[in-house]
Amino acid sequence: MKHLGIDVTVKHLPPLDPAFIPLGRFYEAFLRDAQEPFDVAVERSGGQMAVYRTRVHGTEELREADIYYIDRIIKTLLWMKGGFRVYLAGNEAVCRAMEEHYSASGSRAFDFDYMGNVYEHPFEVVRVDAVPEEKSVSQAIGRHLDGCRIGFDAGGSDRKVSAVIDGESVYSEEVVWFPKINSDPDYHYEGIVSALKSAAAHMPRVDAVGVSSAGIYIDNRTMSASLFLKVPKEQYDAKVKDIYIRAITDTFGDVPYAVVNDGDVSALAGAMSLEDNNVLGIAMGTSEAVGYVDEEGKVTGWLNELAFVPVDAAPTAMVDEWSGDIGCGVKYFSQDSVIKLAPAAGIDLDESLSPAEKLKVVQGLMEQGDPRAAGIYESIGVYLAHTLALYHHLYGYRHVLLLGRVMSGKGGDLLLDTCRKVLADEYPAVNEQVHLALPDEKFRRVGQSVAAASLPELRK
């Protein structure tokens, strides 16, 4: 197949989406004859810098391909590692195009605005002769099991809390709540405090509190989270950014605490159950939630928002309604992917159903052995194999922990089996280096809220 003048060779294509162009395969083909150096660096809080050194063609004939390639690299770095300032060193025409793309009125206006708000700093693209050096600070967090701890896991439909004494859960509860549809931040605050007090009642004291929550957290502050979707901006700034800090300190005073993205806590729980490090956790549910624990067992502080990292180079790829971009992970590794592929499979889903209900319909057909549903899971398995190779290039992980509703039941089994076969055939080197795992009983014993409880270190 050919894209922007680049010949891309792919052995395995999703049966229900033959137009799919694995972005990693496009990158490989693009770089084959690219010789002109081009460097990208993305700066985030604390002066941390992510650097990506690559090449472009620098010819008029392949100018469009050069611009597309660098645009995708910047987009990937922003959502993988985060940042508010992009440094570019290389071809002038490509740099100029990126300044236009990543501006308030450009094609990446969403990313421009979002990253500026998250990092509370105006977003900018800066042309330089040489980009700054790489600088990254990983955080040794978690696996602390001493003392009396609370672990709180804030989900979109329920909240879980555990009381943990010296690594053993002595009490857990799960309570249904509706954070995404409530505009009053006091509703969220009171729910969090109620959970914390419930767990505290089952311990002689509270030594530390750990929180696992969907969203982006910087210095324990809630910079962006779908749980607070309906809260107006003024109240968000006043009452949500420090909501977990306030709830903990108001309830227990000056105790150690840590607030971490739930994807990273899932990866930490996986690392604890596997008794190893370098773990990428991917949860396929409402969206694609990802977390990462590095080779030293540390949480990197990266965004790891791979739902918005591009994986498909096809110009006909589905649009993500939130960011307005196409080919991003959310449409390939979530319930959205199942729904997207249903028409091609010949499955007519009732539009009055919620996305979760539509997923259940397809899961029910899969349990009945319906070959149409099988085609959906086989297609996602092919997506996943190609994308795991791309993610491996970015992270160099050793283990992948696959979670979420899409991975459950017979569909998840077929998805995983298909992924393994495609990896072995098309990416043998990656296949040899990577261990794919599903949650086992040991992982379930560790659990998200118990792993969250291990986040803070006690003061000596």
Side-chain angles (χ1 to χ4, degrees):
M1 58 181 72
K2 204 175 187 83
H3 181 51
L4 300 175
I6 305 295
D7 286 310
V8 184
T9 302
V10 184
K11 289 174 67 175
H12 296 271
L13 289 171
L16 298 178
D17 187 6
F20 176 67
I21 303 175
L23 194 58
R25 282 293 190 225
F26 174 81
Y27 287 170
E28 291 171 4
F30 174 89
L31 291 170
R32 201 167 292 131
D33 298 317
Q35 300 296 327
E36 187 177 308
F38 196 104
D39 295 341
V40 180
V42 175
E43 182 179 354
R44 59 189 185 278
S45 52
Q48 295 186 76
M49 202 77 59
V51 177
Y52 196 93
R53 301 186 187 279
T54 187
R55 307 181 303 279
V56 296
H57 294 86
T59 64
E60 191 67 38
E61 180 187 10
L62 291 173
R63 179 68 43 75
E64 192 178 352
D66 285 350
I67 289 170
Y68 174 81
Y69 171 71
I70 295 299
D71 174 89
R72 300 290 79 183
I73 293 298
I74 294 173
K75 175 93 174 185
T76 296
L77 290 175
L78 285 175
W79 290 96
M80 175 188 173
K81 296 192 174 182
F84 58 84
R85 183 179 291 122
V86 178
Y87 296 92
L88 303 176
N91 185 277
E92 184 177 346
V94 176
C95 288
R96 199 162 53 243
M98 293 307 101
E99 289 174 328
E100 293 172 5
H101 285 202
Y102 289 89
S103 68
S105 58
S107 58
R108 302 289 166 252
F110 173 85
D111 311 78
F112 173 93
D113 184 61
Y114 189 92
M115 293 295 165
N117 285 329
V118 163
Y119 288 96
E120 298 178 318
H121 191 289
F123 189 92
E124 56 185 334
V125 177
V126 182
R127 273 193 265 174
V128 292
D129 293 330
V131 301
E133 292 300 311
E134 179 91 23
K135 182 184 176 184
S136 186
V137 180
S138 297
Q139 196 175 4
I141 195 166
R143 306 186 201 226
H144 306 294
L145 300 173
D146 53 324
C148 297
R149 300 169 169 271
I150 293 175
F152 178 67
D153 177 30
S157 55
D158 53 57
R159 60 178 196 253
K160 304 178 186 71
V161 71
S162 292
V164 180
I165 300 178
D166 293 330
E168 293 294 323
S169 176
V170 298
Y171 172 77
S172 291
E173 75 168 17
E174 192 170 318
V175 175
V176 173
W177 70 337
F178 304 97
K180 293 185 178 181
I181 61 173
N182 269 281
S183 60
D184 182 1
D186 290 340
Y187 168 87
H188 304 80
Y189 176 85
E190 288 162 8
I192 296 164
V193 169
S194 174
L196 296 178
K197 288 182 175 179
S198 179
H202 293 82
M203 296 189 297
R205 63 184 187 281
V206 174
D207 296 323
V209 179
V211 174
S212 162
S213 184
I216 296 173
Y217 298 89
I218 298 173
D219 296 331
N220 300 305
R221 300 177 72 221
T222 310
M223 306 313 296
S224 176
S226 60
L227 296 175
F228 310 100
L229 193 63
K230 296 294 185 182
V231 178
K233 179 167 172 46
E234 285 185 8
Q235 291 202 61
Y236 189 101
D237 291 342
K239 291 190 170 185
V240 171
K241 285 191 173 178
D242 294 328
I243 193 166
Y244 290 116
I245 298 171
R246 287 191 297 112
I248 293 165
T249 56
D250 289 354
T251 309
F252 305 117
D254 184 24
V255 300
Y257 57 82
V259 184
V260 175
N261 169 268
D262 60 348
D264 282 339
V265 178
S266 287
L268 174 63
M272 290 168 71
S273 67
L274 292 166
E275 297 180 358
D276 201 1
N277 296 322
N278 210 352
V279 177
L280 187 74
I282 303 175
M284 302 184 213
T286 305
S287 183
E288 178 192 9
V290 176
Y292 178 60
V293 172
D294 70 12
E295 185 64 53
E296 298 178 355
K298 296 178 179 178
V299 172
T300 59
W302 302 346
L303 294 193
N304 298 314
E305 290 285 350
L306 301 194
F308 308 107
V309 167
V311 301
D312 184 1
T316 55
M318 185 175 273
V319 174
D320 160 43
E321 303 88 347
W322 197 47
S323 69
D325 205 347
I326 66 170
C328 296
V330 64
K331 293 299 182 184
Y332 298 78
F333 308 111
S334 73
Q335 62 192 17
D336 282 6
S337 183
V338 174
I339 297 165
K340 174 187 82 170
L341 293 169
I347 298 173
D348 185 20
L349 296 172
D350 186 343
E351 286 305 310
S352 68
L353 299 176
S354 70
E357 289 169 332
K358 290 177 181 177
L359 173 61
K360 285 183 179 179
V361 170
V362 176
Q363 288 174 325
L365 293 172
M366 188 66 203
E367 292 302 316
Q368 296 165 22
D370 191 314
R372 299 174 302 166
I376 291 175
Y377 287 99
E378 287 173 0
S379 295
I380 299 174
V382 177
Y383 288 153
L384 184 60
H386 288 295
T387 302
L388 287 181
L390 173 62
Y391 290 172
H392 190 262
H393 167 69
L394 298 171
Y395 285 89
Y397 57 77
R398 187 160 54 249
H399 302 277
V400 177
L401 184 67
L402 297 168
L403 308 150
R405 291 191 299 274
V406 175
M407 288 303 304
S408 65
K410 289 183 179 179
D413 293 339
L414 178 58
L415 191 165
L416 182 59
D417 183 55
T418 304
C419 175
R420 283 177 167 149
K421 287 176 180 175
V422 175
L423 268 179
D425 186 45
E426 191 150 356
Y427 304 96
V430 175
N431 187 59
E432 288 177 10
Q433 297 173 51
V434 171
H435 167 236
L436 304 185
L438 296 173
D440 57 11
E441 281 308 312
K442 189 171 184 182
F443 176 86
R444 292 185 178 94
R445 284 199 303 273
V446 170
Q448 190 92 350
S449 56
V450 175
S454 82
L455 293 171
E457 184 174 6
L458 301 188
R459 299 190 186 107
K460 303 301 182 186

